Amino acid sequence: PVRRSFLPALALLAATGAGCGGCRDRSVPPRPKAVVLVTIDTLRADAVSFAPNGPDTTPFLATLAADGIVFDAAYAPSSWTAPSMASLFTGLEAKSHGVVRGAMSARRPDGSQIAVNQRVLPASLPTLAESFRAGGFRTVGVAANRHLARDLGFAQGFESYLDDAPFLDADEVNREVLAALTAVFGADAGQGWKQQPTFLWIHYFDPHVPYEAREPWVDTFAGPASDARTAAGLGFPELVARYDGRAAAAQRDLEPLYLSEVRFVDEHLRALDATLGLTDPDVLVVVTSDHGEEFGEHGGLGHGTTLYEEAVRVPLLVRWPARLPQGVRSPAPVSLIDVFPTLAALLGLEPPAAA
């Protein structure tokens, strides 16, 4: 069967040449210097600066969006991490890959946690990283969410992978990215990683609970009546107990923390770009999220229990100035499931398995 993808929209835009300047000969199979997939955990579609009437949270991502294609109706296939990312990496619905449940264990003595009762992503299913590797790309993955650990199957196809996928702040994620690239490409990884075709996946954990008060931005988003700082660092059970039946107070206090976390990630992406040159016109960048977050819009908090817009609508931008148009917005409904078949078709890679 024909795979779903948003390639037709990309192909149509590319065919017009609009905003594409010196795009290369399209009769030649396209091969960018690198492909970078950035997934930002728990990022709502309306929490980015390039969303219609979006807050001032992602000035760096807004520059990427201005040079790329933004999909305004992008959806995650689930409202929590494991099923959504399994679908992104296999191009399959959850019923086909089977990764539909899981939870974090109680904390170990060292303070860490592990995912329990989560099905391992089947090795029989070809993944996006395996397709890149078979196509001659070096593959490096740094994921800061334990639901994405190596022993749960998410390292398939990666030459280098952060095995335990520990919960890390964005600054720690950046350090792990640079360490991984150095291990693969040597001391000059900042330049050398683009000398060979490379697929780099980075999964940031911020702005997931617990929401931290990120300076100096939290005061920018908090109104005078907000008690945001008193809610900083609280886990989900504590937040539910604190705001039970108080949706307006939850939104007033928690959104400023959340938005400061989004701003925190954006700053660290800007810093990573300064080192790695992510904005090179011949680097294909995809930025999206695994799911959104609820702040009492329908009486709930967090994610993973409903499928309301705030829980499953996510940002999605695709940027490759050397080949794709710039400054384009598409209203076409698309899904994270479409990412694998789209990249495969665009780059001439092996497509995902049929459902």
Side-chain angles (χ1 to χ4, degrees):
V2 177
R3 301 298 308 162
R4 290 184 58 201
S5 80
F6 47 91
L7 178 69
L10 293 181
L12 178 61
L13 292 167
T16 68
C20 203
C23 292
R24 296 172 300 188
D25 182 357
R26 290 183 183 83
S27 66
V28 178
R31 286 286 158 142
K33 293 178 182 176
V35 177
V36 180
L37 170 64
V38 177
T39 50
I40 303 172
D41 213 299
T42 320
L43 184 59
R44 291 166 55 127
D46 60 1
V48 294
S49 299
F50 56 89
N53 302 311
D56 185 22
T57 48
T58 59
F60 175 69
L61 287 182
T63 64
L64 297 185
D67 290 337
I69 302 166
V70 174
F71 291 87
D72 286 319
Y75 290 88
S78 176
S79 59
W80 73 284
T81 301
S84 282
M85 295 308 298
S87 288
L88 189 156
F89 269 89
T90 63
L92 298 172
E93 300 279 358
K95 65 181 180 181
S96 296
H97 61 63
V99 182
V100 296
R101 61 179 59 87
M104 283 294 110
S105 71
R107 292 192 179 274
R108 299 163 167 170
D110 65 0
S112 64
Q113 295 174 289
I114 58 172
V116 294
N117 300 321
Q118 182 175 320
R119 182 181 178 185
V120 175
L121 185 64
S124 59
L125 297 177
T127 68
L128 179 60
E130 288 176 312
S131 181
F132 271 107
R133 195 163 186 181
F137 283 73
R138 310 295 294 270
T139 53
V140 178
V142 175
N145 187 316
R146 291 191 184 277
H147 286 291
L148 306 174
R150 175 181 290 276
D151 62 5
L152 295 171
F154 285 91
Q156 293 178 43
F158 284 101
E159 178 180 349
S160 172
Y161 196 79
L162 187 60
D163 289 355
D164 286 343
F167 299 123
L168 301 175
D169 287 346
D171 54 348
E172 298 172 302
V173 170
N174 281 6
R175 286 196 291 271
E176 293 291 349
V177 169
L178 296 176
L181 291 176
T182 299
V184 173
F185 296 102
D188 191 29
Q191 297 297 321
W193 78 284
K194 289 186 292 188
Q195 302 308 306
Q196 303 176 50
T198 301
F199 171 57
L200 172 63
W201 172 39
I202 310 168
H203 184 91
Y204 288 98
F205 188 62
D206 317 88
H208 195 285
V209 165
Y211 312 123
E212 303 296 342
R214 300 297 185 181
E215 304 287 359
W217 308 291
V218 63
D219 290 335
T220 301
F221 301 114
S226 173
D227 289 327
R229 291 182 180 276
T230 65
L234 296 180
F236 187 68
E238 291 82 8
L239 292 178
V240 171
R242 176 172 176 157
Y243 293 105
D244 185 31
R246 301 171 58 232
Q251 190 166 29
R252 179 198 67 203
D253 295 347
L254 301 183
E255 273 199 336
L257 295 172
Y258 172 85
L259 294 176
S260 79
E261 292 264 49
V262 177
R263 187 70 172 80
F264 179 73
V265 175
D266 188 77
E267 277 300 301
H268 283 80
L269 268 169
R270 184 192 300 276
L272 197 65
D273 171 57
T275 303
L276 298 181
L278 304 180
T279 50
D280 183 324
D282 203 19
V283 172
L284 169 56
V285 178
V286 179
V287 181
T288 188
S289 177
D290 51 353
H291 55 76
E293 188 82 324
E294 297 183 60
F295 291 106
E297 293 88 349
H298 292 87
L301 294 176
H303 56 267
T305 57
T306 75
L307 296 174
Y308 291 116
E309 285 269 313
E310 58 268 22
V312 295
R313 193 164 182 169
V314 295
L316 175 63
L317 72 87
V318 180
R319 179 190 185 273
W320 187 12
R323 190 166 183 91
L324 295 177
Q326 302 167 47
V328 176
R329 303 190 80 96
S330 172
V334 297
S335 167
L336 297 189
I337 295 172
D338 304 332
V339 171
F340 185 172
T342 298
L343 292 178
L346 190 62
L347 303 178
L349 304 174
E350 285 296 316

